[in-house]
Amino acid sequence: MGACSLVIKQPDGKKRVVPIERPTLSLGRSQENDVVLTDSELRVSRRHAVIEWDPERGATLRDGGAVNGTFVNKQRVTAPVALHGGDVITIGPHEIVFREEKAGGLPWKIQSGAVDLTALQKPQQPEAFKSEVKAPEAPRLKALELLNEVGLKLAGTHTPSEVVKESIQLLFRIEGVQRATLWPWDEKERCFHQMPLETRAGLDQLAAPMFDPQNLVLSSTILNQVRKDNRPLLIRDIKSSEYNLSKSIVRAGIQAAFCSPVTSQGRMLGVLYADNVMRSDAFSEEDFQTFTIIAAQAGMALANSLAREEISRQEVERANLSRYLPPQVVDLICSKGGSVELGGVLQPVTVLFADIRGFTPLSEQMDAREVVDLLNDFFGVMTAAIFQSQGTLDKFIGDCVMALFGAPIPSERSPRNALVAAVRMQQQVARLGEERVQRGLAPIRIGIGLHHGPAVVGNIGSAERMQYTAIGDTVNIAARLVSRAEPGQILVSEAMYKAAGGSDLFHDLGQVSVKGRDAQVRVYSVDWQRIVQSTPAASPAS
């Protein structure tokens, strides 16, 4: 058996091509799978099915115990099933075609580019090209003009979509090219995203069924060849007996075709493709050289555009992180390239809730603008105290603030950091209250609740909207404590008391019943005024 691949038609109609390059390929909804199949309606299980592949024995599909089942050619899989070329696998809303080609190398003769694309992308491009490729004796003026434009046109592109569009338009400047496309390579998912073929203007007759661009499936053997050798291919005379084994090419009605990897510094970015469906002699050697240069320049332009997109993405991500993480944590995450785990992790955290006492009657005495001004002043003070103590701002809930300490980066100092933040909050709110009194406004006072324990922290929500937060009993206890806290009071659980290194600065209030729990909770109050008096210039916890 030769090359095998999966052509996956997604619910939105888009297609991607996944080469089968390993003995085991897992498919499912979880990001841990080799092939991730997204499905908002959960018809795809977390680990739905597995394909086992052996070059000698072929491919076998096993259902992973999925609730909604796995189907091959509309028959539910109840035992391992041998796959054959053209079999249709159905997993939830995804339709997957298993494709295979016969072994024994490429079943047709091809011409490979004489120059490696990497050589063409170096500054000495002209010399390298001339040393290995014989220049045409009488180059056409039109071709020379095109080569002169290639670098200029692609250098003026800024986004990946612009690079793709401009590359295809440049290919249409080659006289014999009738259709062209560029398939992006997704390194994370190890697949090609199949894009529609663009047709040269004025060739509407190519839209006949046998030339339908949507039906074109590039040969997996060709895709593997261009990825392996990093050289463009010229394929000719497809209908001769030499090419009959390549059913995918015959089915597409191709007479001559170009195919080239789009790379930059050894990084695979995609495949550039162009063809002619009418003449096997449509492309000359000079055309092949021009196509090679376009592919090389497209690789550099696409790499630059992707780099710009990545920089913009990082800037947006940094701005978003800065909204709820302290600058030190944001710097650490960004310095590691976002490698810090931000989703679904069970770890010890300290949870803090701070709530304005008597906010409802207070707000009834103010107009909407005054309420907004009050909350802005309050949240500004709270956020500063959280960030100064290495905390993570979780959310604002009405007039309440929720913060996490020890997340996303676990820390043994999180209980003490949270305590320092709570003291700062009370101290700063007292000052804010004094300022309000001087302006003839009602003062505000807050209650704070703290608990330390395990919680699941990470990006929780849906694909459309996710929020970094914590979930678990630890959060619930902290929320219950703040609801019992009096104005100007900091209440902590026994677990928090012990984690913070308990001292005479904590006053044991005994066992207290809290809403939603059968067992009582031992609660301590914090004498934060004594802490302020003993350390009036308390520095942020390190």
Side-chain angles (χ1 to χ4, degrees):
M1 177 175 288
C4 296
S5 60
L6 302 176
V7 181
I8 304 173
K9 184 178 180 180
Q10 302 174 152
D12 59 5
K14 294 181 179 179
K15 293 182 180 180
R16 53 186 172 127
V17 179
V18 181
I20 298 179
E21 302 173 317
R22 58 187 69 181
T24 303
L25 200 70
S26 61
L27 303 90
R29 193 179 75 248
S30 170
Q31 294 294 324
E32 298 174 354
N33 289 287
D34 300 311
V35 179
V36 179
L37 303 174
T38 57
D39 178 22
S40 60
E41 298 183 18
L42 304 184
R43 289 165 292 181
V44 178
S45 298
R46 293 183 61 83
R47 188 176 176 87
H48 201 105
V50 174
I51 293 177
E52 297 174 345
W53 179 70
D54 182 275
E56 300 297 329
R57 292 176 293 181
T60 301
L61 174 71
R62 288 189 296 103
D63 179 75
V67 174
N68 294 308
T70 304
F71 298 81
V72 175
N73 300 327
K74 299 183 178 181
Q75 298 296 316
R76 184 160 186 162
V77 174
T78 57
V81 175
L83 295 175
H84 306 283
D87 282 348
V88 179
I89 305 166
T90 304
I91 296 179
H94 298 268
E95 182 180 282
I96 306 170
V97 178
F98 176 73
R99 190 180 62 191
E100 63 179 348
E101 294 182 12
K102 295 185 177 180
L106 293 173
W108 54 83
K109 290 183 179 179
I110 63 171
Q111 180 179 341
S112 178
V115 180
D116 188 290
L117 294 179
T118 304
L120 285 179
Q121 293 174 337
K122 293 179 180 179
Q124 65 272 23
Q125 170 187 326
E127 290 74 12
F129 188 74
K130 290 178 182 178
S131 65
E132 296 188 40
V133 179
K134 185 178 180 180
E137 296 179 1
R140 293 173 295 175
L141 179 59
K142 186 176 180 180
L144 291 175
E145 291 175 347
L146 172 57
L147 292 177
N148 186 51
E149 286 185 40
V150 170
L152 296 175
K153 290 282 188 180
L154 292 175
T157 57
H158 298 284
T159 66
S161 60
E162 289 178 357
V163 174
V164 172
K165 181 178 179 180
E166 196 61 55
S167 298
I168 290 174
Q169 292 307 310
L170 287 168
L171 289 177
F172 285 146
R173 296 283 300 278
I174 299 175
E175 186 174 344
V177 172
Q178 294 178 328
R179 306 184 301 184
T181 189
L182 194 157
W183 283 11
W185 169 254
D186 190 323
E187 183 61 34
K188 182 179 180 181
E189 296 187 3
R190 302 294 298 173
C191 72
F192 289 98
H193 290 282
Q194 184 175 342
M195 305 299 290
L197 275 168
E198 301 292 336
T199 305
R200 181 194 290 272
L203 294 179
D204 294 337
Q205 67 271 24
L206 294 183
M210 68 177 297
F211 300 124
D212 184 359
Q214 298 297 334
N215 291 333
L216 176 70
V217 178
L218 287 180
S219 163
S220 58
T221 306
I222 290 182
L223 292 177
N224 291 335
Q225 182 77 8
V226 295
R227 285 176 57 208
K228 177 183 176 182
D229 295 344
N230 195 38
R231 294 175 186 269
L233 305 179
L234 171 57
I235 306 171
R236 291 179 174 176
D237 206 10
I238 300 305
K239 286 189 176 180
S240 71
S241 59
E242 293 176 308
Y243 309 104
N244 283 341
L245 293 177
S246 176
K247 295 180 181 179
S248 62
I249 290 186
V250 174
R251 185 166 59 247
I254 301 165
Q255 290 288 319
F258 291 131
C259 190
S260 174
V262 178
T263 63
S264 177
Q265 298 181 343
R267 177 189 174 193
M268 183 70 181
L269 302 175
V271 166
L272 188 65
Y273 177 86
D275 67 25
N276 185 289
V277 301
M278 295 179 175
R279 294 169 43 221
S280 60
D281 61 348
F283 303 132
S284 65
E285 289 294 323
E286 183 179 316
D287 292 333
F288 191 23
Q289 294 170 12
T290 302
F291 174 79
T292 300
I293 292 177
I294 292 175
Q297 295 291 324
M300 291 191 293
L302 190 57
N304 290 336
S305 66
L306 290 172
R308 281 191 289 267
E309 275 200 346
E310 178 63 17
I311 291 173
S312 298
R313 185 195 64 78
Q314 290 177 358
E315 290 175 349
V316 171
E317 184 178 76
R318 186 183 184 89
N320 290 337
L321 289 172
S322 298
R323 295 170 61 186
Y324 56 89
L325 295 175
Q328 307 94 309
V329 179
V330 174
D331 290 340
L332 179 59
I333 292 175
C334 293
S335 69
K336 293 187 176 182
S339 61
V340 176
E341 181 61 55
L342 292 178
V345 178
L346 179 65
Q347 63 187 58
V349 295
T350 303
V351 182
L352 178 152
F353 281 94
D355 191 6
I356 298 177
R357 304 286 84 176
F359 178 75
T360 299
L362 179 64
S363 62
E364 290 175 350
Q365 303 172 20
M366 301 184 291
D367 62 30
R369 185 175 301 177
E370 290 175 330
V371 173
V372 170
D373 289 341
L374 168 61
L375 289 177
N376 285 341
D377 290 340
F378 170 65
F379 290 144
V381 168
M382 297 294 100
T383 301
I386 293 167
F387 284 2
Q388 287 171 3
S389 298
Q390 311 294 306
T392 297
L393 175 61
D394 188 297
K395 63 173 70 72
F396 299 133
I397 313 168
D399 62 317
C400 181
V401 176
M402 176 181 172
L404 306 176
F405 297 81
I409 301 174
S411 171
E412 295 180 355
R413 295 188 59 86
S414 67
R416 296 186 64 84
N417 289 350
L419 186 60
V420 170
V423 172
R424 279 199 180 102
M425 288 176 175
Q426 291 288 9
Q427 187 178 14
Q428 293 303 318
V429 167
R431 291 176 182 173
L432 180 60
E434 293 175 0
E435 292 177 2
R436 289 180 57 82
V437 170
Q438 294 174 1
R439 291 156 49 195
L441 302 173
I444 61 171
R445 302 186 71 187
I446 63 172
I448 297 175
L450 290 163
H451 180 55
H452 180 78
V456 175
V457 294
N459 283 313
I460 298 170
S462 67
E464 291 73 26
R465 180 175 176 81
M466 303 188 77
Q467 180 177 354
Y468 187 81
T469 189
I471 291 180
D473 194 48
T474 297
V475 179
N476 298 334
I477 293 177
R480 300 297 181 241
L481 290 177
V482 74
S483 67
R484 296 188 63 92
E486 299 293 332
Q489 191 174 41
I490 300 175
L491 296 183
V492 303
S493 64
E494 184 174 19
M496 176 65 191
Y497 165 77
K498 293 179 178 179
S503 68
D504 60 354
L505 295 174
F506 296 83
H507 302 299
D508 188 351
L509 302 182
Q511 298 284 347
V512 175
S513 296
V514 295
K515 184 178 179 181
R517 291 182 65 87
D518 294 333
Q520 291 187 320
V521 176
R522 182 173 293 278
V523 177
Y524 296 78
S525 67
V526 179
D527 192 347
W528 63 270
Q529 291 92 344
R530 281 181 57 196
I531 296 177
V532 172
Q533 291 170 1
S534 60
T535 55
S539 59
S542 58

